[in-house]
Amino acid sequence: MKAQHTLAALLAFGLLSPLAQADAKNDADMLKLATTSGCMTCHSIETGKPGPNGMKPIGPAWQDVAGQYKGKPGASEFLTRVVLEGSNPYSSHWKGKVSGLSMPPNAVAITEGNARLLVNWILAL
């Protein structure tokens, strides 16, 4: 949340280059989409953020997701399907790293187009 306020302040005072302003606006738009879609309930952007009551986070940090799938062909399509349809708790490579068992299906909370936009933003982190 602090990052969002910092970006807003820099944009308001025109302290970012036009390219940086476009990136900052996109970041703010993606954070808003993630928040309104319920993603931030389980996920964080930065690695190392604790989950509720000091437990492991519920879902992986998006920096970790970006690292896990960096350069893998079909990653965007695969992760978009996971966002919409959920994941298999028996084949998770996040076991032991997060407290959640699997990703629930989210097709009721986010459209396929918005899920794809968000996934591509996450992969670019």
Side-chain angles (χ1 to χ4, degrees):
M1 189 61 100
K2 187 177 182 181
Q4 241 177 332
H5 293 287
T6 302
L7 286 173
L10 290 172
L11 283 170
F13 292 111
L15 298 176
L16 296 175
S17 70
L19 183 57
Q21 287 180 15
D23 287 344
K25 182 177 181 337
N26 187 52
D27 289 347
D29 289 346
M30 290 297 101
L31 284 171
K32 182 178 179 184
L33 175 61
T35 301
T36 59
S37 300
C39 306
M40 304 308 287
T41 302
C42 299
H43 297 277
S44 66
I45 296 172
E46 296 92 15
T47 300
K49 296 244 178 172
N53 300 318
M55 296 173 28
K56 290 179 182 173
I58 296 169
W62 287 338
Q63 287 178 341
D64 295 336
V65 173
Q68 176 76 23
Y69 289 94
K70 184 178 179 123
K72 290 189 179 176
S76 177
E77 293 79 16
F78 172 74
L79 291 173
T80 299
R81 294 271 53 97
V82 168
V83 169
L84 296 172
E85 299 170 6
S87 65
N88 182 340
Y90 301 107
S91 64
S92 174
H93 50 262
W94 301 108
K95 282 184 183 173
K97 299 175 186 171
V98 298
S99 62
L101 296 176
S102 65
M103 174 94 160
N106 292 288
V108 297
I110 190 168
T111 66
E112 183 172 351
N114 281 341
R116 189 172 315 285
L117 285 172
L118 190 56
V119 163
N120 288 332
W121 178 75
I122 290 166
L123 290 173
L125 292 173

